[in-house]
């Protein structure tokens, strides 16, 4: 594991993105998440932060999970020398990840046109909540706002209750960071044919809407009712969570008839009304809830071990890391004393390097900034 300022990276030089250089402009979680996804698979990601926090952190490795596998420098982009230095870096880069509001990068002089003038092959990824155009493009917002306008939030929650946001995973991470990483890969693939880079407009509102494509079809055909009344949104008793005798919970996903039969048998229930009749769902739910409340979560794990009842314990993150299945697969890893999810997806038949903590990068010569120029910028307070 990296412990010095000029070591670090993904922990391995292998990976499908080995040789791909990424400049990541520091920002809130979705941008770093996209950069982490690329770094996890071999890309050389250089994170551009503000000067003050980088100078203050010294040469200590950064513990931030989403900065793993990256190198960091501080650069003052409000000064002409900092902008000129960034363009030098961009001339050697394959990808830029930018997370500002529309127009900010252009005002700084590092917008797509500015950087394509020095590197036409550059893939310029722009990540925002509302996108680069439209009436809300310049407005502030957060995950909850993006999924609300995408129509997604209206579908989340229990019957008769207000919409429930599922923490900021749908807009920020799935609809934003992950979609941007996907867009970067598309643009890199296209560049192999055209020789030119592409500007990516990754909007969290777009990504969140796309994630619900199947449910848009259901809603459009009348196959999806109000939130909390459907098969997959806790409306059905065979797809929900239930409390156990010790105050823990189990998750049940016994949708198919044969899985349902295994569930009912494991619970020891008889005389249940037909589950295909929705009018019976409240009574069935009561019977299931009463049955699950008679034993602890661990006891139910033993009852359903090896069955196809689709019953799983609802684990905390700490418990998840120790679960036998996750432990056997290495689903979680420890980096710098922090247990965190391992890189995914897995590319089989290849080396799987362990991620390393982020560290500062002192030698920028390979990025087009020789030592004497870098030292001059450091002395001027433009570079850390």
């Amino acid at each position: 594991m990296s412990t010095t300022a000029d070591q670090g990276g993904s922990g391995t030089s292998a990976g499908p993105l080995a040789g791909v250089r990424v400049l990541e402009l520091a920002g809130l979680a979705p941008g770093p998440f996209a950069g982490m996804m690329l770094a996890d698979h071999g890309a050389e990601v250089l994170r551009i932060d503000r000067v003050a926090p980088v100078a203050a952190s010294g040469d200590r490795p950064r513990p931030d999970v989403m900065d793993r596998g990256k190198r960091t420098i501080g650069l003052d982009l409000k000064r002409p020398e900092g902008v000129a230095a960034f363009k030098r870096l961009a001339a050697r880069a394959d990808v830029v990840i930018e997370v500002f509001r529309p127009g900010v990068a252009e005002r700084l002089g590092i917008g797509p046109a500015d950087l394509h003038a020095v590197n036409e092959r550059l893939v310029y990824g722009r990540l925002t909540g509302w996108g680069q155009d439209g009436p809300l493009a310049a407005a502030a917002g957060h995950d909850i706002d993006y999924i609300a306008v995408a129509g997604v939030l209206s579908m989340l929650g229990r019957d008769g209750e207000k919409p429930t946001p599922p923490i900021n995973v749908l807009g920020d991470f799935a609809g934003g960071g992950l979609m941007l990483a996907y867009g970067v890969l598309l643009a890199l693939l296209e560049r192999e044919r055209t020789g030119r880079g592409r500007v990516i407009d990754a909007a969290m509102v777009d990504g969140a809407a796309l994630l619900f494509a199947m449910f848009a079809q259901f809603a459009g055909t009348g196959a999806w009712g109000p939130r909390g009344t459907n098969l997959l949104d806790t409306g059905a008793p065979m797809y929900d969570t239930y409390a156990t005798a010790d105050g823990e919970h189990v998750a049940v996903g016994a949708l198919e008839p044969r899985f349902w039969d295994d569930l009912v048998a494991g619970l020891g229930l008889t005389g249940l009304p037909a589950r295909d009749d929705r009018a019976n769902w409240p009574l069935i739910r009561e019977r299931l809830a009463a049955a699950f409340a008679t034993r602890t979560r661990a006891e139910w794990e033993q009852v359903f071990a090896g069955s196809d009842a689709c019953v799983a314990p609802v684990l905390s993150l700490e418990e998840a890391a120790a679960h036998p299945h996750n432990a056997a697969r290495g689903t979680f890893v420890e980096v710098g004393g922090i247990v965190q999810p391992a890189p995914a997806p897995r590319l089989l038949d290849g080396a799987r390097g362990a991620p390393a903590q982020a560290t500062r990068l002192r030698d920028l010569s390979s990025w087009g900034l020789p030592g004497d120029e870098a030292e001059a910028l450091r002395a001027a307070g433009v570079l850390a």
Side-chain angles (χ1 to χ4, degrees), residues 10 12-20 36-45:
S10 64
T12 176
S13 59
L17 297 181
V20 174
M36 183 197 78
M37 293 289 294
L38 301 176
D40 278 350
H41 293 284
E44 181 183 351
V45 180

Side-chain angles (χ1 to χ4, degrees), residues 103-125:
V104 172
E106 283 80 359
R107 290 195 294 273
L108 290 172
I110 57 171
D114 302 303
L115 300 190
H116 281 151
V118 299
N119 182 358
E120 67 175 7
R121 291 174 55 82
L122 187 70
V123 172
Y124 196 107

Side-chain angles (χ1 to χ4, degrees), residues 250-254 263 292 300-301 304 307-313:
V250 294
V252 173
L263 173 67
F292 276 116
W300 286 121
E301 284 189 77
F304 290 108
S307 82
D308 279 342
C310 299
V311 176

Side-chain angles (χ1 to χ4, degrees), residues 153-216:
L153 184 55
S154 70
M155 305 178 75
L156 306 178
R158 290 190 176 272
D159 182 22
E161 298 182 5
K162 65 181 182 179
T164 303
I167 63 177
N168 63 320
V169 71
L170 283 177
D172 282 356
F173 294 102
L178 190 58
M179 290 293 180
L180 176 60
Y182 175 56
V184 165
L185 299 182
L186 294 178
L188 288 173
L189 181 62
E190 182 190 50
R191 193 182 69 176
E192 294 301 305
R193 299 193 305 270
T194 67
R196 297 183 63 85
R198 169 85 71 168
V199 180
I200 303 162
D201 179 4
M204 298 174 205
V205 65
D206 297 346
L210 180 62
L211 290 168
F212 275 62
M214 181 177 77
F215 302 98

Side-chain angles (χ1 to χ4, degrees), residues 48-56 73-83 85 360 364 369 372-384:
I48 311 299
D49 206 338
R50 290 175 292 112
V51 170
V54 174
I73 64 170
L75 196 59
D76 189 347
L77 295 175
K78 294 183 178 180
R79 294 173 61 175
E81 309 98 301
V83 171
R360 286 173 62 172
L364 290 166
L369 275 180
D372 56 344
E373 295 184 27
E375 285 303 323
L377 290 172
R378 287 191 185 98
V382 175
L383 174 68

Side-chain angles (χ1 to χ4, degrees), residues 2 4-5 7-9 61-62 70-72 357-361:
S2 170
T4 63
Q7 296 175 334
R62 294 174 58 93
K70 303 175 187 177
R71 312 301 296 277
T72 302
Q357 288 182 287
T359 54
R360 286 173 62 172
L361 179 62

